[in-house]
Amino acid sequence: MTQLDGPSTIAAPVAADPDGGRRTPPVQQRTGRKVSIGRIVAWVAMGILLLITIFPFYWMLRTALSSNGALYANSSSLLPADFSWGGFERVFGLQTVDEAIEQGGSGAKIDFWRYLINSAIVATVITVFQVFFSALAAYAFARLRWRGRDLVFGVFLLSLMVPVIFTLLPNFLLVKQLGLIDTLLGIILPSMFMAPFAIFFLRQFFLNVPLEVEEAALVDGASKIRVFFNLIIPMSAAPIATISILTYMTAWNDYFWPLMVSYTDDSRVLTVALGSFRAQSPQGGPDWAGLMAATLIAALPMILLFAVFAKRIVNSIGFSGIK
Amino acid sequence: MPSRPSAGAGRGQRRPDDTKLALLFIFPAVIGLVLFYFWPLVRGIWLSFTSWDLLSPERFVGFDNYTRMFADPVFWNAIWVTLEYVVLNIGIQTVVALVIALLMQRLTQSTLVRGLILAPYLVSNVVAALVFFWILDFQLGIGNQLLEWVGLDRIGFFTTEEWAIPTIAAVNVWRHMGYTALLIFAGLQAIPQNLYEVARVDGASELRQFTGITLPLLRPILGLVLIISVIGSFQVFDTVSVTTSGGPVNASRVLQVYIYENAFAQFNFGYASALSVAMLAILVVVTFFQYRITRAGQTDLN
């Protein structure tokens, strides 16, 4: 998270700083010391909250770089206990079974490369298809004229009310009937056609593309399909990027559905692999270093994604989070 | 191509003539909607009236699953455990998020701070659960070391009945508080600043400004945030599944976990579906009441 921008430049309508804090002398003169004490207390509170937020990430790293045996003797030093790459080596299957067991691993065959690749495939395919299909539908609801448009849109609105959790069991049965249990496609399928939220989100932006631009292209003889691909999509690149990032994160972090569908390494994604890694604790206590190395690997792509797109993600929350 | 007529009619009022293209455009989304939202809804309700183990064909059993459910102590326990979780999770989360949002409004608009506060939301529930499973480990967890240093007794956060649900609620507060704070923060930004200036000129205290301006004007946003997070909170599964798997005994066996066990450990899909219908009913009722409360909040805004 090093690429975060400094002071934000979003167009938040805060002309006057209410507390007279940052470099606004008049107010500070008026209430002088009282305000500054209040601000110190506020900063301390903020600092504590930030510490609570960030510390677990550091502790993950610190533990992952410790050697498992040393954690028992030295459970509280802020630096890694007896620095070692062993945790990572076990997670990627780079140690022999004997080595792994000796260092506190379970010795079970685990290969996080495999799960990492599975997760990447699932999240990428879901994102590409879901966003594209949702964009098509959003355009039909925003700009095409056809009978029953509002009615159908209303039906899509209803689907937001269906709790995802309720659909999981029947969807599992459907995927089973299709013979897709324990395949990546089985994990992907229910999410790849659309997401109600993505449709609403994109429709909102398509509605704001000026009609004149579109009409000018139509008068020039462009078809609506061309207008959509050559005009609407490029003009909406920013919201499409935002929804893609959010979709990718959701797909990457999903656990319940993949847990139902995947049974072997063929289709095991990272979240599910983490769950079973924790379940197969070796005798004599869990392989904490290995477990934290594994969680770090699962979290890292999201942290990197966030480091690059922090501003976009942060600013998307507020109008997108609330439907 | 369907586009021909619309190009011809470009000058006048355009007629509703995109039907073919529109059908093409919504086709994939409609497949998704019907196949993975509405069909499961119908099928789930139907399955709740059957007995089915996946091997033999399903058998209609009327209300048997429901009578069994209402007599099932584990079901009622799951309802109470889930409610306890939701109340703790939403209660703490909303207060903490409100505090963070107010602090951010007062102190900084920086994207760095907002980004850091959002960071836990980016990792999966599973990662959050495992990290805290380690931090709060009875023997080696730094959390318990900390308790010892300040002179308190160690706590079996995930291993004792009274602590399991509060701990799981707290883990999910950690993951979601930044996200919720940013939603509330966006609501705070929408409150006109001159209201505060007027109040200050009138000599209103900070507390008076908060209860008189911030809270009432924030109510609609807060209501929406609550609806979203309560619905999400009811569906808790991941955290419980990877840490306690419902234990100790039934102390953290939330409804989702019980549903999952019935379906995938005992292959009792009919009963699991009936439990899911109960969950659906609870969510519908909760959403309905929340909407009413939010509506009421909106009217006294003007």
Side-chain angles (χ1 to χ4, degrees):
Chain A
M1 266 165 285
T2 48
Q3 294 191 7
L4 292 167
D5 300 43
S8 146
T9 50
I10 54 154
V14 268
D17 194 343
D19 215 6
R22 290 189 303 204
R23 288 167 255 122
T24 35
V27 188
Q28 238 170 13
Q29 277 164 7
R30 204 176 53 202
T31 30
R33 189 171 299 154
K34 191 171 160 249
V35 166
S36 62
I37 289 176
R39 285 182 71 80
I40 290 169
V41 172
W43 270 115
V44 169
M46 193 74 193
I48 292 171
L49 284 163
L50 280 173
L51 192 70
I52 294 172
T53 304
I54 297 308
F55 177 77
F57 288 99
Y58 175 71
W59 206 242
M60 220 190 301
L61 181 69
R62 176 263 182 195
T63 309
L65 293 173
S66 300
S67 72
N68 203 46
L71 284 175
Y72 288 81
N74 188 357
S75 54
S76 56
S77 83
L78 283 177
L79 291 174
D82 189 12
F83 183 92
S84 153
W85 293 104
F88 288 97
E89 286 168 3
R90 278 195 293 289
V91 162
F92 283 118
L94 296 174
Q95 287 183 337
T96 64
V97 174
D98 292 341
E99 262 180 328
I101 290 175
E102 190 190 333
Q103 294 190 17
S106 72
K109 201 180 140 293
I110 33 168
D111 184 2
F112 265 68
W113 277 122
R114 184 78 187 257
Y115 313 138
L116 203 61
I117 292 167
N118 282 346
S119 274
I121 293 173
V122 166
T124 307
V125 175
I126 286 179
T127 304
V128 169
F129 281 94
Q130 188 192 92
V131 171
F132 177 64
F133 289 150
S134 297
L136 284 177
Y139 182 66
F141 289 127
R143 277 301 160 78
L144 297 181
R145 302 183 173 225
W146 45 291
R147 280 244 302 277
R149 182 178 75 174
D150 295 343
L151 182 75
V152 177
F153 186 63
V155 173
F156 270 85
L157 250 174
L158 269 182
S159 70
L160 265 182
M161 307 288 162
V162 181
V164 178
I165 225 96
F166 189 79
T167 62
L168 292 184
L169 270 191
N171 277 344
F172 167 79
L173 297 171
L174 181 64
V175 166
K176 189 176 162 62
Q177 281 168 332
L178 293 171
L180 293 175
I181 291 300
D182 204 20
T183 64
L184 292 180
L185 185 60
I187 300 176
I188 291 166
L189 204 63
S191 323
M192 82 182 246
F193 292 102
M194 64 127 195
F197 177 63
I199 294 180
F200 300 122
F201 182 87
L202 291 173
R203 175 176 171 270
Q204 217 52 44
F205 283 96
F206 293 164
L207 283 173
N208 290 333
V209 174
L211 258 182
E212 298 76 45
V213 180
E214 211 181 324
E215 269 166 2
L218 290 174
V219 170
D220 286 349
S223 70
K224 290 224 165 170
I225 292 187
R226 273 196 60 188
V227 169
F228 175 71
F229 282 103
N230 295 345
L231 211 72
I232 300 285
I233 289 201
M235 285 180 78
S236 311
I240 288 176
T242 303
I243 196 74
S244 301
I245 296 165
L246 295 178
T247 306
Y248 197 88
M249 278 170 37
T250 310
W252 183 274
N253 288 336
D254 197 15
Y255 173 70
F256 202 173
W257 173 247
L259 178 69
M260 288 182 170
V261 177
S262 69
Y263 288 90
T264 67
D265 278 2
D266 287 344
S267 70
R268 191 160 289 159
V269 294
L270 271 174
T271 46
V272 179
L274 276 178
S276 52
F277 188 66
R278 129 103 177 90
Q280 44 179 245
S281 288
Q283 328 78 317
D287 173 13
W288 290 116
L291 188 61
M292 287 302 110
T295 52
L296 199 64
I297 291 158
L300 204 59
M302 293 303 102
I303 295 172
L304 291 177
L305 195 71
F306 187 54
V308 178
F309 294 110
K311 203 161 190 179
R312 182 179 294 284
I313 296 172
V314 165
N315 288 339
S316 76
I317 290 168
F319 59 88
S320 75
I322 290 178
K323 296 142 190 173
Chain B
M1 284 311 284
S3 56
R4 200 184 333 115
S6 73
R11 217 169 308 141
Q13 190 81 325
R14 284 192 297 150
R15 283 172 284 120
D17 49 11
D18 299 327
T19 308
K20 273 188 200 156
L21 187 65
L23 289 180
L24 185 71
F25 270 32
I26 64 167
F27 183 65
V30 168
I31 291 183
L33 181 75
V34 172
L35 226 51
F36 296 108
Y37 282 84
F38 287 145
W39 169 237
L41 193 64
V42 175
R43 193 175 186 187
I45 293 170
W46 156 249
L47 281 174
S48 73
F49 294 104
T50 68
S51 169
W52 196 24
D53 59 1
L54 283 186
L55 300 172
S56 48
E58 68 224 66
R59 190 165 46 85
F60 184 76
V61 295
F63 284 92
D64 279 9
N65 287 324
Y66 290 96
T67 43
R68 177 182 160 193
M69 184 170 88
F70 285 116
D72 179 358
V74 185
F75 165 72
W76 290 110
N77 175 69
I79 297 268
W80 285 115
V81 169
T82 310
L83 280 176
E84 187 195 349
Y85 167 81
V86 171
V87 169
L88 283 173
N89 176 236
I90 298 299
I92 302 171
Q93 179 173 302
T94 310
V95 172
V96 174
L98 190 60
V99 169
I100 296 176
L102 288 167
L103 285 174
M104 283 199 293
Q105 191 197 26
R106 283 303 163 84
L107 297 176
T108 174
Q109 311 281 323
S110 133
T111 311
L112 176 68
V113 170
R114 285 188 289 161
L116 289 177
I117 216 85
L118 187 66
Y121 183 70
L122 305 168
V123 302
S124 61
N125 286 322
V126 176
V127 168
L130 290 176
V131 171
F132 278 95
F133 197 63
W134 164 228
I135 288 180
L136 300 176
D137 182 70
F138 188 77
Q139 289 191 320
L140 299 177
I142 184 82
N144 266 317
Q145 299 274 346
L146 217 60
L147 284 180
E148 207 171 60
W149 285 335
V150 293
L152 297 170
D153 285 340
R154 287 172 179 260
I155 296 173
F157 286 101
F158 288 102
T159 49
T160 51
E161 291 195 27
E162 62 270 33
W163 277 101
I165 281 293
T167 305
I168 290 164
V171 171
N172 286 333
V173 167
W174 177 77
R175 182 166 177 252
H176 290 274
M177 65 185 186
Y179 179 73
T180 314
L182 288 189
L183 291 178
I184 297 174
F185 181 70
L188 286 176
Q189 302 284 32
I191 297 175
Q193 291 303 312
N194 55 2
L195 287 179
Y196 293 104
E197 278 153 31
V198 172
R200 261 200 300 275
V201 171
D202 288 352
S205 67
E206 291 277 326
L207 189 67
R208 187 79 191 81
Q209 290 176 35
F210 177 71
T211 53
I213 302 173
T214 312
L215 222 44
L217 287 181
L218 205 57
R219 250 173 89 170
I221 291 272
L222 223 45
L224 278 171
V225 169
L226 275 177
I227 289 178
I228 296 171
S229 41
V230 165
I231 291 177
S233 188
F234 264 103
Q235 307 189 22
V236 59
F237 175 82
D238 303 1
T239 319
V240 181
S241 171
V242 287
T243 55
T244 65
S245 7
V249 198
N250 282 323
S252 62
R253 185 151 284 120
V254 292
L255 198 45
Q256 291 304 328
V257 170
Y258 192 46
I259 293 172
Y260 180 80
E261 283 172 355
N262 269 287
F264 291 94
Q266 311 182 8
F267 296 103
N268 213 331
F269 274 79
Y271 190 53
S273 299
L275 293 169
S276 304
V277 172
M279 166 65 85
L280 184 67
I282 293 172
L283 287 178
V284 168
V285 170
V286 167
T287 314
F288 175 76
F289 276 107
Q290 283 196 311
Y291 262 116
R292 290 208 44 177
I293 293 165
T294 327
R295 285 270 160 74
Q298 266 167 346
T299 49
D300 61 53
L301 266 176
N302 307 322

